[in-house]
Amino acid sequence: MTDTTLSRPKAGGTALPVLGTISVCHLLNDLIQSLLPAIYPILKGGFDLSFAQIGLLTLTYQITASLLQPIIGLATDRRPAPYSLTIGMGASLVGLVTLAFAPNYAALLIGATLLGFGSSVFHPEASRIARLASGGAHGLAQSLFQVGGNAGSALGPLLAAYIILPRGQESLSWFALAALGGMALLTGIGRWYARSDHARPVRRGAAVRHPGLTRGQVNRALAVLMVLILSKYVYLACLTSYYTFFLMERFALAPDSAQLCLFVFLAAVAAGTIIGGPVGDRIGRKTVIWISILGILPFTLLLPHVGLTATVALSAVIGLALASAFPAIIVYAQELMPGRVGMVSGLFFGLAFGIGGMAAAGLGVLADWKGIGFVFQACSVVPLLGLFAALLPNVSPHKEP
């Protein structure tokens, strides 16, 4: 990517080439990240892992990401690091190769840790760049950015089913080419960011929170958003980590068929992500958050009790609705604290990973004890936490300097 490929950010205008590029990079990043859960059937058989060990592997990856993301976001709020994205993708590349040639469970944990580190660097800075390139259409920009990630997450299981599962663990290393391509694109993004007026520390005295809200209101709203993230990602952890095992056990599906069903769910998640941001721009982010989380409750309650076709259809509806909440939550949180975009983005992306990791570990233990079917029934009531959305204040968009 050359300097002429990406124009300087213009006041009041959306830098579509930048948004498109950062979305593609998000696709490559999350495709790489999604290969870890996609190859769980190989790892479970090859290393004789229990469900609890699979959960610990997910926990290791996601806790690494969740603990570092807000720290990295806050650091880059204070001192921008335009080329940090390339470094993060490089860490993911090393993690991918480590997983491909891991001789034992300890090496798998190291590979998962490196993947988590790469993700922790990528998400807060990439989310900031999407906002800078938005031209004020923050929800649309966040949706475009996130749909790249969700598309990558959906492609991971599909590619794993057709490339990795038939050829074995070492074929995971072929995806290092995707990481190398991402590093090249992110170097161009870093060059654009370095030349922009935004690649400078936040000036002293800049507004940290929304001017229309008190510190207490902001803190309470952030706490409510965290509860909603808890609801969303506990249920997502159930589906992304254990949906294939649920289908294989309940309907006697082969692993590749179960992976295709997982792809349907993750593709619906990608579609929902596109919807959530622009709809939030139009009707209000609070409304989108309320509907998308609480609204899936009837479908989650039905899913453990229906046939295969209905299960796949319900999972698609759930993924579509549930995913629309996250762009709205991220932009809503950024509006609460406009002077801390990197920290807020890192906090919520990190919280998503952390909750997902802890939920995956806990649900793995529960699955070993009570069975996969029980896990899906227990998680079906989690969307009730969407009722907390009623406590969110109405927040008007904050015009950035």
Side-chain angles (χ1 to χ4, degrees):
M1 183 182 299
T2 64
D3 283 353
T4 58
T5 304
L6 301 176
S7 61
R8 288 180 181 272
K10 298 178 181 179
T14 303
L16 289 176
V18 176
L19 287 176
T21 302
I22 201 65
S23 181
V24 169
C25 291
H26 201 185
L27 183 152
L28 294 173
N29 178 82
D30 284 22
L31 184 153
I32 292 167
Q33 310 290 329
S34 71
L35 292 174
L36 176 60
I39 63 168
Y40 281 168
I42 287 179
L43 300 181
K44 190 175 190 299
F47 293 91
D48 194 26
L49 303 181
S50 67
F51 283 123
Q53 286 176 305
I54 289 174
L56 179 59
L57 195 60
T58 303
L59 177 65
T60 300
Y61 159 66
Q62 294 186 332
I63 286 295
T64 303
S66 67
L67 291 177
L68 292 179
Q69 283 199 45
I71 297 171
I72 291 171
L74 180 59
T76 52
D77 279 336
R78 294 173 174 172
R79 185 173 298 278
Y83 295 100
S84 61
L85 290 168
T86 305
I87 296 171
M89 187 66 77
S92 294
L93 187 154
V94 176
L96 193 68
V97 174
T98 301
L99 288 169
F101 299 102
N104 51 46
Y105 184 66
L108 292 177
L109 292 174
I110 292 171
T113 300
L114 288 167
L115 282 184
F117 176 76
S119 182
S120 72
V121 175
F122 179 84
H123 285 100
E125 275 299 272
S127 183
R128 183 205 308 281
I129 287 172
R131 187 174 179 88
L132 293 177
S134 69
H138 300 313
L140 173 63
Q142 194 62 222
S143 279
L144 289 175
F145 166 64
Q146 289 186 26
V147 77
N150 287 336
S153 296
L155 283 172
L158 185 65
L159 294 175
Y162 285 104
I163 296 176
I164 302 174
L165 291 181
R167 294 170 176 82
Q169 179 184 346
E170 292 185 358
S171 63
L172 189 65
S173 62
W174 296 2
F175 291 90
L177 294 173
L180 287 172
M183 292 175 71
L185 291 172
L186 289 171
T187 299
I189 287 285
R191 189 179 298 118
W192 172 84
Y193 187 25
R195 293 187 297 114
S196 77
D197 294 335
H198 298 285
R200 63 182 189 274
V202 176
R203 68 181 184 275
R204 290 184 179 276
V208 172
R209 67 174 185 272
H210 193 283
L213 300 174
T214 66
R215 184 183 298 274
Q217 287 176 313
V218 169
N219 290 339
R220 284 192 293 273
L222 289 173
V224 169
L225 292 177
M226 291 177 185
V227 172
L228 298 177
I229 289 287
L230 172 69
S231 170
K232 172 181 166 65
Y233 279 94
V234 166
Y235 197 83
L236 279 181
C238 176
L239 281 169
T240 55
S241 291
Y242 302 110
Y243 187 45
T244 54
F245 296 112
F246 173 75
L247 295 173
M248 290 162 63
E249 177 182 294
R250 180 170 170 80
F251 302 109
L253 290 187
D256 56 349
S257 298
Q259 291 283 7
L260 289 175
C261 294
L262 179 60
F263 169 73
V264 171
F265 166 73
L266 293 175
V269 169
T273 302
I274 292 180
I275 294 170
V279 171
D281 285 338
R282 182 175 295 272
I283 70 172
R285 305 185 217 291
K286 179 179 174 179
T287 302
V288 172
I289 294 168
W290 172 272
I291 294 173
S292 63
I293 295 181
L294 187 61
I296 67 168
L297 181 62
F299 307 107
T300 61
L301 291 173
L302 281 172
L303 186 140
H305 307 288
V306 296
L308 175 60
T309 301
T311 297
V312 175
L314 286 173
S315 73
V317 172
I318 291 167
L320 184 74
L322 195 59
S324 66
F326 198 54
I329 288 174
I330 289 290
V331 177
Y332 185 99
Q334 290 173 343
E335 296 290 353
L336 290 174
M337 300 188 71
R340 293 288 183 265
V341 169
M343 185 200 74
V344 166
S345 301
L347 175 64
F348 279 90
F349 277 106
L351 188 65
F353 281 114
I355 288 173
M358 289 185 287
L363 294 175
V365 173
L366 186 61
D368 284 334
W369 177 39
K370 298 287 286 184
I372 287 289
F374 179 83
V375 166
F376 274 73
Q377 291 184 39
C379 289
S380 67
V381 299
V382 170
L384 272 173
L385 293 174
L387 289 169
F388 280 91
L391 303 177
L392 292 172
N394 295 318
V395 176
S396 58
H398 175 70
K399 188 174 182 180
E400 297 172 1

